[in-house]
PDB file of all heavy atoms in Angstrom:
ATOM      1  N   ASP A  48       3.652  -5.520 -11.168  1.00 97.00           N
ATOM      2  CA  ASP A  48       2.376  -5.547 -11.889  1.00 97.00           C
ATOM      3  C   ASP A  48       1.184  -5.330 -10.960  1.00 97.00           C
ATOM      4  O   ASP A  48       0.052  -5.669 -11.289  1.00 97.00           O
ATOM      5  CB  ASP A  48       2.215  -6.867 -12.642  1.00 97.00           C
ATOM      6  CG  ASP A  48       2.242  -8.078 -11.718  1.00 97.00           C
ATOM      7  OD1 ASP A  48       2.612  -7.937 -10.529  1.00 97.00           O
ATOM      8  OD2 ASP A  48       1.896  -9.182 -12.176  1.00 97.00           O
ATOM      9  N   GLY A  49       1.437  -4.718  -9.798  1.00 98.00           N
ATOM     10  CA  GLY A  49       0.370  -4.470  -8.836  1.00 98.00           C
ATOM     11  C   GLY A  49      -0.746  -3.623  -9.417  1.00 98.00           C
ATOM     12  O   GLY A  49      -0.510  -2.744 -10.253  1.00 98.00           O
ATOM     13  N   VAL A  50      -1.972  -3.893  -8.950  1.00 98.00           N
ATOM     14  CA  VAL A  50      -3.146  -3.172  -9.441  1.00 98.00           C
ATOM     15  C   VAL A  50      -3.852  -2.510  -8.263  1.00 98.00           C
ATOM     16  O   VAL A  50      -4.133  -3.142  -7.248  1.00 98.00           O
ATOM     17  CB  VAL A  50      -4.138  -4.115 -10.159  1.00 98.00           C
ATOM     18  CG1 VAL A  50      -5.329  -3.328 -10.703  1.00 98.00           C
ATOM     19  CG2 VAL A  50      -3.450  -4.890 -11.273  1.00 98.00           C
ATOM     20  N   LEU A  51      -4.129  -1.228  -8.418  1.00 98.00           N
ATOM     21  CA  LEU A  51      -4.866  -0.440  -7.443  1.00 98.00           C
ATOM     22  C   LEU A  51      -6.272  -0.235  -7.990  1.00 98.00           C
ATOM     23  O   LEU A  51      -6.442   0.373  -9.051  1.00 98.00           O
ATOM     24  CB  LEU A  51      -4.169   0.907  -7.233  1.00 98.00           C
ATOM     25  CG  LEU A  51      -4.909   1.987  -6.462  1.00 98.00           C
ATOM     26  CD1 LEU A  51      -5.210   1.542  -5.033  1.00 98.00           C
ATOM     27  CD2 LEU A  51      -4.098   3.276  -6.475  1.00 98.00           C
ATOM     28  N   TYR A  52      -7.258  -0.777  -7.277  1.00 98.00           N
ATOM     29  CA  TYR A  52      -8.660  -0.623  -7.675  1.00 98.00           C
ATOM     30  C   TYR A  52      -9.287   0.463  -6.816  1.00 98.00           C
ATOM     31  O   TYR A  52      -9.418   0.303  -5.603  1.00 98.00           O
ATOM     32  CB  TYR A  52      -9.422  -1.936  -7.482  1.00 98.00           C
ATOM     33  CG  TYR A  52      -8.939  -3.052  -8.372  1.00 98.00           C
ATOM     34  CD1 TYR A  52      -7.987  -3.969  -7.923  1.00 98.00           C
ATOM     35  CD2 TYR A  52      -9.429  -3.205  -9.664  1.00 98.00           C
ATOM     36  CE1 TYR A  52      -7.542  -5.006  -8.735  1.00 98.00           C
ATOM     37  CE2 TYR A  52      -8.989  -4.229 -10.489  1.00 98.00           C
ATOM     38  CZ  TYR A  52      -8.048  -5.126 -10.016  1.00 98.00           C
ATOM     39  OH  TYR A  52      -7.608  -6.139 -10.822  1.00 98.00           O
ATOM     40  N   VAL A  53      -9.629   1.583  -7.440  1.00 96.00           N
ATOM     41  CA  VAL A  53     -10.268   2.701  -6.750  1.00 96.00           C
ATOM     42  C   VAL A  53     -11.432   3.174  -7.606  1.00 96.00           C
ATOM     43  O   VAL A  53     -11.418   3.006  -8.820  1.00 96.00           O
ATOM     44  CB  VAL A  53      -9.284   3.885  -6.540  1.00 96.00           C
ATOM     45  CG1 VAL A  53      -8.203   3.540  -5.532  1.00 96.00           C
ATOM     46  CG2 VAL A  53      -8.664   4.336  -7.837  1.00 96.00           C
ATOM     47  N   PRO A  54     -12.436   3.764  -6.950  1.00 89.00           N
ATOM     48  CA  PRO A  54     -13.504   4.327  -7.770  1.00 89.00           C
ATOM     49  C   PRO A  54     -12.912   5.450  -8.622  1.00 89.00           C
ATOM     50  O   PRO A  54     -12.211   6.280  -8.069  1.00 89.00           O
ATOM     51  CB  PRO A  54     -14.494   4.876  -6.767  1.00 89.00           C
ATOM     52  CG  PRO A  54     -14.134   4.248  -5.448  1.00 89.00           C
ATOM     53  CD  PRO A  54     -12.682   3.915  -5.535  1.00 89.00           C
ATOM     54  N   PRO A  55     -13.068   5.473  -9.876  1.00 84.00           N
ATOM     55  CA  PRO A  55     -13.879   4.622 -10.735  1.00 84.00           C
ATOM     56  C   PRO A  55     -13.061   3.693 -11.632  1.00 84.00           C
ATOM     57  O   PRO A  55     -13.576   3.212 -12.630  1.00 84.00           O
ATOM     58  CB  PRO A  55     -14.623   5.645 -11.588  1.00 84.00           C
ATOM     59  CG  PRO A  55     -13.587   6.722 -11.808  1.00 84.00           C
ATOM     60  CD  PRO A  55     -12.766   6.745 -10.527  1.00 84.00           C
ATOM     61  N   SER A  56     -11.758   3.449 -11.318  1.00 93.00           N
ATOM     62  CA  SER A  56     -10.941   2.714 -12.287  1.00 93.00           C
ATOM     63  C   SER A  56      -9.915   1.808 -11.616  1.00 93.00           C
ATOM     64  O   SER A  56      -9.799   1.776 -10.398  1.00 93.00           O
ATOM     65  CB  SER A  56     -10.229   3.710 -13.206  1.00 93.00           C
ATOM     66  OG  SER A  56      -9.345   4.510 -12.441  1.00 93.00           O
ATOM     67  N   ALA A  57      -9.155   1.107 -12.455  1.00 98.00           N
ATOM     68  CA  ALA A  57      -8.038   0.286 -12.001  1.00 98.00           C
ATOM     69  C   ALA A  57      -6.748   0.940 -12.494  1.00 98.00           C
ATOM     70  O   ALA A  57      -6.679   1.412 -13.636  1.00 98.00           O
ATOM     71  CB  ALA A  57      -8.164  -1.126 -12.548  1.00 98.00           C
ATOM     72  N   ILE A  58      -5.747   0.951 -11.657  1.00 98.00           N
ATOM     73  CA  ILE A  58      -4.478   1.603 -11.942  1.00 98.00           C
ATOM     74  C   ILE A  58      -3.390   0.541 -11.812  1.00 98.00           C
ATOM     75  O   ILE A  58      -3.327  -0.151 -10.796  1.00 98.00           O
ATOM     76  CB  ILE A  58      -4.267   2.765 -10.952  1.00 98.00           C
ATOM     77  CG1 ILE A  58      -5.380   3.795 -11.171  1.00 98.00           C
ATOM     78  CG2 ILE A  58      -2.888   3.365 -11.091  1.00 98.00           C
ATOM     79  CD1 ILE A  58      -5.662   4.666 -10.011  1.00 98.00           C
ATOM     80  N   ILE A  59      -2.545   0.411 -12.835  1.00 98.00           N
ATOM     81  CA  ILE A  59      -1.602  -0.702 -12.881  1.00 98.00           C
ATOM     82  C   ILE A  59      -0.162  -0.197 -12.914  1.00 98.00           C
ATOM     83  O   ILE A  59       0.174   0.673 -13.725  1.00 98.00           O
ATOM     84  CB  ILE A  59      -1.866  -1.578 -14.120  1.00 98.00           C
ATOM     85  CG1 ILE A  59      -3.309  -2.095 -14.092  1.00 98.00           C
ATOM     86  CG2 ILE A  59      -0.875  -2.741 -14.181  1.00 98.00           C
ATOM     87  CD1 ILE A  59      -3.760  -2.737 -15.378  1.00 98.00           C
ATOM     88  N   GLY A  60       0.677  -0.768 -12.049  1.00 98.00           N
ATOM     89  CA  GLY A  60       2.109  -0.511 -12.080  1.00 98.00           C
ATOM     90  C   GLY A  60       2.562   0.614 -11.176  1.00 98.00           C
ATOM     91  O   GLY A  60       1.781   1.464 -10.762  1.00 98.00           O
ATOM     92  N   HIS A  61       3.849   0.588 -10.870  1.00 98.00           N
ATOM     93  CA  HIS A  61       4.434   1.541  -9.930  1.00 98.00           C
ATOM     94  C   HIS A  61       4.240   2.992 -10.350  1.00 98.00           C
ATOM     95  O   HIS A  61       3.882   3.831  -9.525  1.00 98.00           O
ATOM     96  CB  HIS A  61       5.922   1.255  -9.746  1.00 98.00           C
ATOM     97  CG  HIS A  61       6.208   0.004  -8.985  1.00 98.00           C
ATOM     98  ND1 HIS A  61       7.473  -0.357  -8.629  1.00 98.00           N
ATOM     99  CD2 HIS A  61       5.402  -0.976  -8.504  1.00 98.00           C
ATOM    100  CE1 HIS A  61       7.444  -1.499  -7.964  1.00 98.00           C
ATOM    101  NE2 HIS A  61       6.186  -1.895  -7.892  1.00 98.00           N
ATOM    102  N   ASP A  62       4.506   3.313 -11.615  1.00 98.00           N
ATOM    103  CA  ASP A  62       4.393   4.706 -12.069  1.00 98.00           C
ATOM    104  C   ASP A  62       2.977   5.232 -11.892  1.00 98.00           C
ATOM    105  O   ASP A  62       2.768   6.338 -11.389  1.00 98.00           O
ATOM    106  CB  ASP A  62       4.800   4.845 -13.543  1.00 98.00           C
ATOM    107  CG  ASP A  62       6.287   4.645 -13.765  1.00 98.00           C
ATOM    108  OD1 ASP A  62       7.069   4.746 -12.790  1.00 98.00           O
ATOM    109  OD2 ASP A  62       6.674   4.376 -14.922  1.00 98.00           O
ATOM    110  N   ALA A  63       2.009   4.452 -12.308  1.00 98.00           N
ATOM    111  CA  ALA A  63       0.614   4.891 -12.235  1.00 98.00           C
ATOM    112  C   ALA A  63       0.129   4.979 -10.784  1.00 98.00           C
ATOM    113  O   ALA A  63      -0.605   5.914 -10.434  1.00 98.00           O
ATOM    114  CB  ALA A  63      -0.271   3.948 -13.042  1.00 98.00           C
ATOM    115  N   ILE A  64       0.543   4.035  -9.948  1.00 98.00           N
ATOM    116  CA  ILE A  64       0.163   4.076  -8.527  1.00 98.00           C
ATOM    117  C   ILE A  64       0.775   5.298  -7.864  1.00 98.00           C
ATOM    118  O   ILE A  64       0.116   6.011  -7.099  1.00 98.00           O
ATOM    119  CB  ILE A  64       0.569   2.767  -7.823  1.00 98.00           C
ATOM    120  CG1 ILE A  64      -0.284   1.613  -8.361  1.00 98.00           C
ATOM    121  CG2 ILE A  64       0.436   2.892  -6.306  1.00 98.00           C
ATOM    122  CD1 ILE A  64       0.235   0.231  -8.003  1.00 98.00           C
ATOM    123  N   ASP A  65       2.041   5.572  -8.163  1.00 98.00           N
ATOM    124  CA  ASP A  65       2.722   6.741  -7.614  1.00 98.00           C
ATOM    125  C   ASP A  65       2.014   8.029  -8.037  1.00 98.00           C
ATOM    126  O   ASP A  65       1.774   8.915  -7.215  1.00 98.00           O
ATOM    127  CB  ASP A  65       4.177   6.750  -8.081  1.00 98.00           C
ATOM    128  CG  ASP A  65       4.962   7.914  -7.515  1.00 98.00           C
ATOM    129  OD1 ASP A  65       4.786   8.260  -6.328  1.00 98.00           O
ATOM    130  OD2 ASP A  65       5.774   8.488  -8.268  1.00 98.00           O
ATOM    131  N   LYS A  66       1.663   8.133  -9.308  1.00 97.00           N
ATOM    132  CA  LYS A  66       0.969   9.334  -9.795  1.00 97.00           C
ATOM    133  C   LYS A  66      -0.378   9.503  -9.103  1.00 97.00           C
ATOM    134  O   LYS A  66      -0.716  10.588  -8.642  1.00 97.00           O
ATOM    135  CB  LYS A  66       0.774   9.276 -11.308  1.00 97.00           C
ATOM    136  CG  LYS A  66       0.041  10.515 -11.839  1.00 97.00           C
ATOM    137  CD  LYS A  66      -0.057  10.551 -13.329  1.00 97.00           C
ATOM    138  CE  LYS A  66      -0.770  11.752 -13.895  1.00 97.00           C
ATOM    139  NZ  LYS A  66      -1.393  12.706 -13.021  1.00 97.00           N
ATOM    140  N   PHE A  67      -1.149   8.404  -8.996  1.00 97.00           N
ATOM    141  CA  PHE A  67      -2.447   8.496  -8.347  1.00 97.00           C
ATOM    142  C   PHE A  67      -2.295   8.933  -6.886  1.00 97.00           C
ATOM    143  O   PHE A  67      -2.987   9.841  -6.429  1.00 97.00           O
ATOM    144  CB  PHE A  67      -3.190   7.156  -8.417  1.00 97.00           C
ATOM    145  CG  PHE A  67      -4.520   7.198  -7.727  1.00 97.00           C
ATOM    146  CD1 PHE A  67      -5.646   7.672  -8.382  1.00 97.00           C
ATOM    147  CD2 PHE A  67      -4.650   6.803  -6.403  1.00 97.00           C
ATOM    148  CE1 PHE A  67      -6.871   7.745  -7.738  1.00 97.00           C
ATOM    149  CE2 PHE A  67      -5.869   6.867  -5.747  1.00 97.00           C
ATOM    150  CZ  PHE A  67      -6.984   7.346  -6.414  1.00 97.00           C
TER     151      PHE A  67
END
Side-chain angles (χ1 to χ4, degrees):
D48 60 348
V50 182
L51 168 62
Y52 295 94
V53 291
S56 63
I58 297 157
I59 302 169
H61 289 185
D62 290 341
I64 292 166
D65 182 40
K66 180 175 180 355
F67 179 84

